Amino acid sequence: MSDEMILTSVTDRVALITLNRPKALNALNDQLMNELGAALLKFDADDQISCMVITGSEKAFAAGADIGGMANFSFNDVYQGDYITKNWETIRRIRKPVIAAVSGFALGGGCELAMMCDFIIAADNAKFGQPEIKLGILPGAGGTQRLPKAVSKSKAMDMCLTARMMDAQEAERAGLVSRVVPAERLMEEAMGAAKTIAEMSLPIVMMVKESINASYESSLSEGIRFERRMFHAAFATEDQKEGMKAFLEKRPAKFKHQ
């Protein structure tokens, strides 16, 4: 796999994936999204990895999709070529947690990619937006669908219709991001969160992610039923036995991810 568009490293069961098109402000094109998808699938299948972090540069997480690469597309190009669906949505198949560490611009496809992650930690210089309408087009990777669920219909309408940007502080107040930290501490905070997750039981971590995601696709009663079955299933794991035993013995649990 070429490392031209992404860089990867692994520390303490955490995989860091860095978008690496600095001159293009990490604009998302097919090659980058193919490499990102391949890396995510690789780490998702690796038993030694429990959590992933996606980040960009200090100036831009990703300033959007690569407009130059799509400006001349026809309807058949995007429809028959299954544009976006064929590679952007690989992240939706990932069962382990994925954290977005956002500094600078997360606009258009960059904002959508961040929202596809399980949660967002933002630097205090982060800017989020869906400016597609200024290009005579609309969001195509979930901007009109995930954004209202995260920040309300009113704010999503505002952002998508006026193309205004939301700063990190407003994004936290609105619920788009989980926490805001000084830019110089972004990676320390994001990797710290990922390492905390990686210390937990991997099967239980995956059950938590699956259960929370199920809440967006079902009624409350069906979601509760799903959660209850996952809760029952946790008692079949060795880590549940270890976790409760460690609690009673007043010591840290030593999970085996089984």
Side-chain angles (χ1 to χ4, degrees):
M1 182 176 65
S2 168
D3 64 359
E4 182 181 351
M5 297 291 182
I6 65 166
L7 303 174
T8 65
S9 62
V10 174
T11 307
D12 297 331
R13 298 187 63 87
V14 174
L16 175 63
I17 303 172
T18 303
L19 309 183
N20 188 41
R21 295 190 73 199
K23 292 182 180 179
L25 296 180
N26 292 327
L28 307 174
N29 61 11
D30 270 347
Q31 181 181 342
L32 188 152
M33 297 311 290
N34 285 338
E35 292 189 10
L36 175 60
L40 288 167
L41 290 171
K42 173 187 173 183
F43 292 133
D44 204 40
D46 187 341
D47 290 340
Q48 300 305 308
I49 300 296
S50 288
C51 190
M52 290 157 259
V53 176
I54 300 176
T55 195
S57 67
E58 183 178 349
K59 190 172 183 179
F61 175 75
D66 191 339
I67 306 304
M70 72 169 83
N72 294 320
F73 282 170
S74 67
F75 169 76
N76 277 344
D77 290 332
V78 293
Y79 181 70
Q80 291 184 334
D82 208 18
Y83 182 57
I84 293 178
T85 311
K86 68 181 179 182
N87 48 11
W88 285 56
E89 295 193 337
T90 302
I91 191 170
R92 296 180 59 195
R93 296 158 48 194
I94 304 305
R95 300 177 68 198
K96 297 172 183 175
V98 182
I99 300 170
V102 175
S103 180
F105 296 111
L107 306 178
C111 185
E112 291 168 315
L113 174 60
M115 288 191 291
M116 289 183 200
C117 297
D118 295 306
F119 63 93
I120 302 170
I121 297 177
D124 54 11
N125 69 340
K127 300 280 188 181
F128 300 88
Q130 298 291 163
E132 289 89 347
I133 198 165
K134 294 171 71 174
L135 301 175
I137 201 168
L138 67 154
T144 65
Q145 303 302 304
R146 293 187 179 92
L147 195 58
K149 289 180 170 64
V151 304
S152 82
K153 174 186 173 183
S154 182
K155 280 191 178 289
M157 284 285 191
D158 184 3
M159 293 175 69
C160 291
L161 291 174
T162 71
R164 81 171 181 89
M165 289 188 286
M166 177 184 287
D167 65 24
Q169 292 71 29
E170 182 183 359
E172 184 181 30
R173 292 195 304 271
L176 180 61
V177 308
S178 65
R179 48 183 117 164
V180 176
V181 299
E184 62 271 18
R185 289 189 50 236
L186 174 64
M187 294 315 300
E188 176 187 351
E189 190 83 6
M191 293 299 288
K195 289 176 183 177
T196 296
I197 293 170
E199 291 172 356
M200 309 302 178
S201 164
L202 179 56
I204 303 303
V205 162
M206 294 168 69
M207 288 181 185
V208 169
K209 173 172 174 170
E210 189 174 1
S211 297
I212 292 176
N213 283 336
S215 73
Y216 283 89
E217 307 292 340
S218 59
S219 66
L220 177 59
S221 60
E222 286 302 313
I224 292 292
R225 184 191 302 272
F226 186 90
E227 177 192 75
R228 194 65 38 75
R229 292 297 174 257
M230 289 290 100
F231 174 76
H232 292 162
F235 284 81
T237 67
E238 292 184 22
D239 286 341
Q240 174 268 328
K241 304 298 184 292
E242 164 61 13
M244 292 191 175
K245 182 179 180 183
F247 176 83
L248 293 173
E249 295 177 354
K250 296 181 172 55
R251 61 172 176 81
K254 297 180 180 178
F255 294 123
K256 296 180 179 179
H257 310 294
Q258 296 177 353

